[in-house]
Amino acid sequence: PDAAPRLKDQQSKELSEALADFEQVPELSSFEVSDGIRQRARRLRKDPGLLDRVTDLDVQGLLSAWIADDSYAWSDNKDWALGLPPSLADLLIELMAPEANSELYIPWDYSGQLAARAVRRDVQVALEMPITTFASHVLTLTGRDSWQIHASDPVRNPGLQEEGRLKQFQATIAVPPMGIRYDKELVDRDPFDRFVERTNAGNILQLRHLIAQTVGRIAVVVPNTVLFSVGAERSFRQSLVEQGLIETVIALPQGLMELAIPVALLILNTEKPSRRIRFIDATSDEFQVTAEKRRVVLRNPDALAQLARGSTSHPRVIDIQPAQVREHDYNLEAGRYLLGNVAQQQAKSLENLPLGKLSEHFEIIRARQHATSTSGVPIREIQAADVPDYGATVSASKESLFDLNS
């Protein structure tokens, strides 16, 4: 359906009952209502019925300052691993920075977290996914009407069309479901001719759909395998690099997603080709913090978004020419082009130390290459086990024969 049902017709409980029910939730001991600030309750995930109780109060106008955008991330429902870390949702919105009254395409936003953040900026949001119940519920609680939900599968049966063609959006944000395989018949018989690679890999087909539906910028979270795998993934990366579609690759901290899958964030631009690819390493302590139960939370999303948009010099940022990516067989892992934590520390410690050539201190003797033969002069060969941790090598353990005429 294009419009979500409003909650006005929902039967309200008596105020006293609702308040009593709300106060009985022990997980709300750290919860505070603060006007204009998204609430972070530490233990709300233990109570899957929280949203129902909050809805009861919202219908009665008792929680006008409370924001329920991240209700799914707080719930303890393990049947769907579709809720996003709130910090990741914040980052995605900041990266795109959609302007008021602009259109934004957000497929697969089952939790409604991305769409709710966008509509609060007065953005016109179009959602598309097979199951719309929870997202419509959260979006209704925003009190805004600048959103539409289409109950359709973006890859198998895209519903956002105009005159038989895919509707074009200037901006797209997506966190597609991972690990999905589609029927190969879908690729062969696609009426919109979206799929270049002949594969059933869901990651590639989802990305191809986003590219086909967007004339502008795309911010999408992908599993790390998209950045380095061979086969269809490599062909896809080669196509993106050669067409200049990649603006930025952001390496995200491991443990950020509920599914514990290492992920990265791609920013693509289908309208304006990029002459360079910016790599950002967001795995340092500057951009992450470990929360309860060893969950990783992104921090400084504004600063991270600024690094993606601007030309700020930063040790965790590097701009790479497409030719360099080509030399690395189109590998898009940030670690290929940026020094990691240990390497950066080593480089920093060497900055103030004198450096010299090895030949200035040692005589390098290169042994004559030979092949072991069945006759010749008896010799002894030095093996790796003969070389001590320090000092001179005083023994050679392998007996051999060497032909002096070889």
Side-chain angles (χ1 to χ4, degrees), residues 24 61 64 86 123 151 154 156 165 174 192 214 218 231 244 342 351 365 372:
Q24 289 176 2
S64 59
V123 176
R156 294 186 177 93
R165 298 181 179 180
F192 304 104
T214 310
I218 302 169
V342 175
E351 286 179 354
I365 301 175
T372 302

Side-chain angles (χ1 to χ4, degrees), residues 11 26 156 282 313 320 338 367 381:
Q11 183 178 3
R156 294 186 177 93
S313 176
I320 295 295
L338 281 165
E381 295 183 12

Side-chain angles (χ1 to χ4, degrees), residues 251-318:
L252 296 174
Q254 189 164 356
L256 180 64
M257 300 291 288
E258 180 71 27
L259 295 176
I261 297 176
V263 295
L265 201 158
L266 298 180
I267 301 178
L268 311 178
N269 195 325
T270 64
E271 185 178 33
K272 183 180 179 181
S274 177
R275 297 180 179 179
R276 55 87 179 145
I277 301 175
R278 172 160 294 188
F279 290 88
I280 302 176
D281 181 10
T283 64
S284 68
D285 293 339
E286 180 181 355
F287 299 115
Q288 68 165 315
V289 62
T290 302
E292 294 182 357
K293 298 182 180 180
R294 301 184 64 82
R295 293 177 61 85
V296 174
V297 177
L298 286 173
R299 63 179 177 182
N300 300 328
D302 294 347
L304 194 54
Q306 183 59 39
L307 290 178
R309 290 194 297 263
S311 56
T312 306
S313 176
H314 193 280
R316 298 291 177 178
V317 179
I318 190 171

